[in-house]
Amino acid sequence: MTKGIRKFTIAGVQLGPILKETKKERTVERLVSLLEKAAESNASLAVFPELALTSFFPRWFIESQENVDSYFEKAKKFKIGFVLGYAELTDQGNHFNTCILVNDKGEIVHKYRKCHLPGFDEPTEGIEFQQLEKRYFEYGDLGFPAYRSDPEWIDATIGMLICNDRRWPEAWRAYALQGMDLCLNGYNTAANGTSLFGSKENKELRQYHSDLSTTANAYFNSCFAVSVAKCGVEDGQGLIGGSIIVDPNGKVIAQAKTEDDELLIAEIDLEDTINGKQKMFDFSRHRRPELYSRLVDQKGSVETDYVN
Amino acid sequence: MTKGIRKFTIAGVQLGPILKETKKERTVERLVSLLEKAAESNASLAVFPELALTSFFPRWFIESQENVDSYFEKAKKFKIGFVLGYAELTDQGNHFNTCILVNDKGEIVHKYRKCHLPGFDEPTEGIEFQQLEKRYFEYGDLGFPAYRSDPEWIDATIGMLICNDRRWPEAWRAYALQGMDLCLNGYNTAANGTSLFGSKENKELRQYHSDLSTTANAYFNSCFAVSVAKCGVEDGQGLIGGSIIVDPNGKVIAQAKTEDDELLIAEIDLEDTINGKQKMFDFSRHRRPELYSRLVDQKGSVETDYVN
């Protein structure tokens, strides 16, 4: 099989806060301008965060393309693909936390719906900021189908994840078992929180967990990864930034310096994923799936007691 | 259920090189002396590395306990448990890369046999140091059964891994699905290597990969982890050190400073694993096992072609 474009420039588009009172049209203009800048940097693909069109709280859902047409026009004009997260409302009235992959011809070629919804479906008493994703969204129903892109655009096997998905090794592995060499993730992650027992979780710890999830899983699956944030203080709640682009060694090769709109640019060569895929993480030689049955036979943890 | 001893001191025992010419008796004396030191530090459990009784190349296999009886006597005398890695030869003539867990009464209470054997079963031409684990050992056949210890000694749910196992999230998860709150791992990891394409892999990168595997999986599974090395230059090949003890946030709480015999001591409280297990990584609320079937249905990666 002849290889196509394996070496190309990729852009991670970090977004500063999008406030409740901001008009959607204004937000779209702002994002399209960042897409143009990514194209000026010669990027073949630009990755936008989760729920990029609104504040994290999903105040409005996208029913049709009409408000985002300008994106697709620009993608085609500049021959740059993009990933965009948004709150999806289907014709059947279902709500998903979704992202789409648009190719360099301005066509939607792939869709992913967030599978690992964190938080609760009922409000928790006595906490300042609720995490009610399980209430607002339904569980993603598309699984983890990797997307093999047009090799004349970029010759990649792409997996898409949304926010909390990046903390679940099962999701990365499901994609890697299809040959994923590029994993794209957007997130909105609260900068502070409270543990079950009342102690505070600070921004540094939350950033560390975010980075660790991307770097480790990129290494375990020998792929490049782009994790981009919507960040800063949005409607009174702080969100971590720290967007990163990571290589198959799990090393950060580009990192955001601000908590605002910021482009990360990296030239990547997908051939750099081959060493890991054929050596340390040659699944066909080293995995032991016959020993992993608990991973699918159980959902929760089943504990055993000590037997004297 | 009444809780037992959840807060206790744990020791990671890093070992410097064990040379080919060293007599086994001398090595056992050396290790027993380290076990004594761990007991003097008030540790309830001491974790020794993979193949702790010999150089990494398995020149001899342990057929019976006779040479290591002094260990068990000391464990009982000082009421300290230990984990010890060794090359096991069974009555049936099978060879495994094994570790045992011995309790504070000097009894073997659990055994693990390395499941993820790296390397090759035939020598590779043109490389200086062969990695032939698949030739010398058979694949571990015991799976990943977690061990629930006597709560009056330590009230822990223990998973044991050996070396390369730590890089496989499936192994950690199989244990975590049984409630693991303490993961014990010993390793022998070459300090240098050559990629498939001839570029050098240096010590810093290999140490980074080792640390990343332990810290990330401890976080993803909300458990404490002890990863201890046999290190230094052994029979002409350098091995990384960098033994660590890690908390359920994936943060390093104790770290080796030398590449020689060295004790790491940490006081840990297994109650600190509860926040992660009941919140971010509450498997029963957040996992999607119905979407993970590839993890057990496939061993190797199955790639798809681009379809225009």
Side-chain angles (χ1 to χ4, degrees):
Chain A
M1 193 172 66
T2 313
K3 286 188 173 165
I5 307 292
R6 296 282 283 169
K7 197 171 177 175
F8 55 89
T9 299
I10 194 161
V13 187
Q14 179 172 286
L15 295 179
I18 294 172
L19 304 183
K20 197 171 175 173
E21 60 271 21
T22 307
K23 292 242 180 328
K24 184 158 55 172
E25 293 69 23
R26 182 67 203 87
T27 301
V28 172
E29 279 173 31
R30 176 175 154 198
L31 271 60
V32 167
S33 149
L34 286 161
L35 184 66
E36 280 189 16
K37 282 187 186 154
E40 285 163 15
S41 301
N42 204 31
S44 299
L45 177 64
V47 184
F48 289 79
E50 175 192 33
L51 299 169
L53 298 169
T54 171
S55 68
F56 178 65
F57 180 87
R59 258 173 293 269
W60 35 261
F61 287 83
I62 311 296
E63 292 180 62
S64 74
Q65 277 183 221
E66 70 181 310
N67 291 289
V68 290
D69 269 355
S70 50
Y71 268 102
F72 297 86
E73 288 155 15
K74 289 288 176 187
K76 194 172 174 179
K77 180 174 172 193
F78 292 110
K79 296 184 173 33
I80 181 172
F82 66 86
V83 171
L84 182 72
Y86 65 103
E88 180 191 17
L89 176 61
T90 69
D91 292 344
Q92 293 75 36
N94 300 105
H95 299 75
F96 294 105
N97 189 337
T98 297
C99 64
I100 46 168
L101 173 66
V102 174
N103 70 8
D104 60 337
K105 297 185 178 75
E107 302 158 342
I108 298 178
V109 288
H110 202 55
K111 179 184 275 194
Y112 172 74
R113 291 172 174 158
K114 187 173 183 175
C115 290
H116 295 94
L117 297 177
F120 298 89
D121 50 12
E122 294 294 338
T124 309
E125 271 186 51
I127 63 170
E128 193 179 353
F129 293 103
Q130 302 289 341
Q131 216 306 5
L132 291 171
E133 265 194 78
K134 285 186 197 287
R135 186 190 192 99
Y136 295 121
F137 293 111
E138 290 157 73
Y139 284 101
D141 58 352
L142 302 174
F144 305 103
Y147 178 72
R148 195 79 175 71
S149 55
D150 178 355
E152 294 182 12
W153 165 41
I154 53 172
D155 188 356
T157 304
I158 296 171
M160 296 197 288
L161 295 174
I162 298 179
C163 193
N164 182 48
D165 286 317
R166 74 194 183 287
R167 305 181 203 267
W168 297 87
E170 292 94 335
W172 294 72
R173 192 65 110 216
Y175 280 131
L177 284 163
Q178 300 164 76
M180 172 176 71
D181 46 26
L182 181 59
C183 188
L184 308 174
N185 173 263
Y187 60 89
N188 283 255
T189 297
N192 294 285
T194 307
S195 84
L196 282 179
F197 310 109
S199 67
K200 297 290 177 189
E201 291 171 359
N202 65 25
K203 192 171 172 177
E204 288 67 33
L205 184 61
R206 290 189 161 221
Q207 187 69 58
Y208 174 71
H209 288 162
S210 178
D211 293 349
L212 191 58
S213 301
T214 301
T215 55
N217 282 307
Y219 168 61
F220 297 148
N221 296 287
S222 198
C223 63
F224 283 90
V226 181
S227 285
V228 286
K230 181 139 60 67
C231 57
V233 178
E234 195 174 74
D235 299 346
Q237 179 167 24
L239 298 170
I240 63 167
S243 302
I244 48 178
I245 302 177
V246 172
D247 76 12
N249 276 312
K251 290 283 211 175
V252 173
I253 54 173
Q255 187 162 28
K257 291 169 189 67
T258 71
E259 289 186 6
D260 211 330
D261 291 2
E262 182 177 347
L263 272 190
L264 309 187
I265 299 287
E267 191 179 35
I268 63 176
D269 184 346
L270 297 181
E271 291 294 290
D272 292 344
T273 66
I274 303 294
N275 185 57
K277 287 185 188 300
Q278 293 186 359
K279 206 176 158 192
M280 185 70 87
F281 298 109
D282 180 347
F283 298 157
S284 65
R285 290 196 301 124
H286 303 314
R287 289 182 80 244
R288 302 290 311 280
E290 71 279 16
L291 303 179
Y292 306 152
S293 53
R294 278 184 193 276
L295 275 65
V296 297
D297 292 345
Q298 279 178 227
K299 183 174 181 180
S301 173
V302 177
E303 295 173 41
T304 51
D305 283 346
Y306 170 65
V307 180
N308 199 347
Chain B
M1 194 171 65
T2 313
K3 286 189 172 164
I5 307 292
R6 298 281 283 168
K7 196 170 176 175
F8 55 88
T9 300
I10 195 162
V13 187
Q14 178 172 284
L15 296 178
I18 294 171
L19 303 182
K20 198 171 174 173
E21 59 271 22
T22 306
K23 291 244 182 323
K24 184 159 54 172
E25 292 69 23
R26 182 65 204 89
T27 301
V28 172
E29 278 173 31
R30 177 175 154 198
L31 270 61
V32 167
S33 149
L34 287 161
L35 183 65
E36 280 189 17
K37 281 188 188 156
E40 285 163 14
S41 302
N42 204 32
S44 299
L45 176 64
V47 185
F48 289 79
E50 176 191 33
L51 300 169
L53 299 169
T54 171
S55 69
F56 178 66
F57 179 87
R59 257 173 293 271
W60 36 262
F61 286 84
I62 311 294
E63 292 181 62
S64 74
Q65 276 182 225
E66 68 181 313
N67 290 290
V68 290
D69 270 353
S70 51
Y71 267 104
F72 296 88
E73 288 155 18
K74 288 289 176 188
K76 194 172 172 180
K77 180 174 172 192
F78 293 110
K79 296 185 172 35
I80 182 172
F82 65 85
V83 171
L84 182 73
Y86 65 103
E88 180 191 16
L89 177 61
T90 70
D91 292 343
Q92 293 76 36
N94 299 104
H95 299 74
F96 294 104
N97 189 337
T98 297
C99 62
I100 47 168
L101 174 66
V102 173
N103 70 7
D104 60 337
K105 298 184 178 74
E107 303 159 342
I108 298 178
V109 288
H110 202 54
K111 180 184 272 191
Y112 172 74
R113 291 171 174 159
K114 187 172 182 175
C115 291
H116 296 93
L117 297 178
F120 298 89
D121 50 13
E122 296 291 339
T124 309
E125 272 186 52
I127 64 171
E128 192 179 356
F129 293 102
Q130 302 289 340
Q131 216 306 6
L132 290 171
E133 264 195 78
K134 285 186 196 286
R135 185 190 192 98
Y136 296 121
F137 292 110
E138 289 157 73
Y139 284 102
D141 58 352
L142 302 175
F144 306 103
Y147 177 73
R148 195 77 177 72
S149 55
D150 178 355
E152 293 181 12
W153 164 41
I154 53 173
D155 187 356
T157 304
I158 297 171
M160 296 197 288
L161 296 173
I162 298 178
C163 194
N164 182 47
D165 286 318
R166 72 193 183 287
R167 306 181 202 268
W168 297 86
E170 291 93 336
W172 293 72
R173 193 64 111 213
Y175 279 131
L177 284 163
Q178 300 164 75
M180 172 175 70
D181 45 27
L182 180 59
C183 188
L184 308 174
N185 173 264
Y187 60 88
N188 284 254
T189 296
N192 294 285
T194 308
S195 84
L196 283 178
F197 309 108
S199 67
K200 296 292 178 190
E201 291 171 357
N202 65 25
K203 191 172 172 177
E204 288 66 33
L205 184 61
R206 290 188 162 221
Q207 187 70 57
Y208 174 72
H209 287 161
S210 179
D211 292 349
L212 191 59
S213 300
T214 301
T215 54
N217 282 306
Y219 168 60
F220 297 149
N221 296 286
S222 197
C223 63
F224 283 90
V226 180
S227 285
V228 287
K230 182 137 61 64
C231 58
V233 178
E234 194 174 76
D235 300 348
Q237 179 165 24
L239 298 170
I240 63 167
S243 302
I244 48 177
I245 301 176
V246 172
D247 76 13
N249 276 313
K251 290 283 211 175
V252 174
I253 54 174
Q255 187 161 28
K257 290 169 189 69
T258 71
E259 289 186 7
D260 211 329
D261 291 2
E262 183 177 345
L263 274 190
L264 310 187
I265 300 288
E267 191 179 36
I268 63 175
D269 184 346
L270 297 181
E271 290 295 290
D272 293 345
T273 65
I274 303 293
N275 186 55
K277 286 186 188 300
Q278 293 187 0
K279 206 177 158 191
M280 185 70 87
F281 297 110
D282 180 347
F283 298 157
S284 65
R285 290 197 299 126
H286 303 313
R287 289 182 80 244
R288 304 288 312 278
E290 70 279 17
L291 302 179
Y292 306 152
S293 53
R294 276 183 194 276
L295 275 65
V296 296
D297 293 345
Q298 279 177 229
K299 183 173 181 181
S301 174
V302 176
E303 294 173 40
T304 51
D305 282 348
Y306 170 66
V307 180
N308 199 347

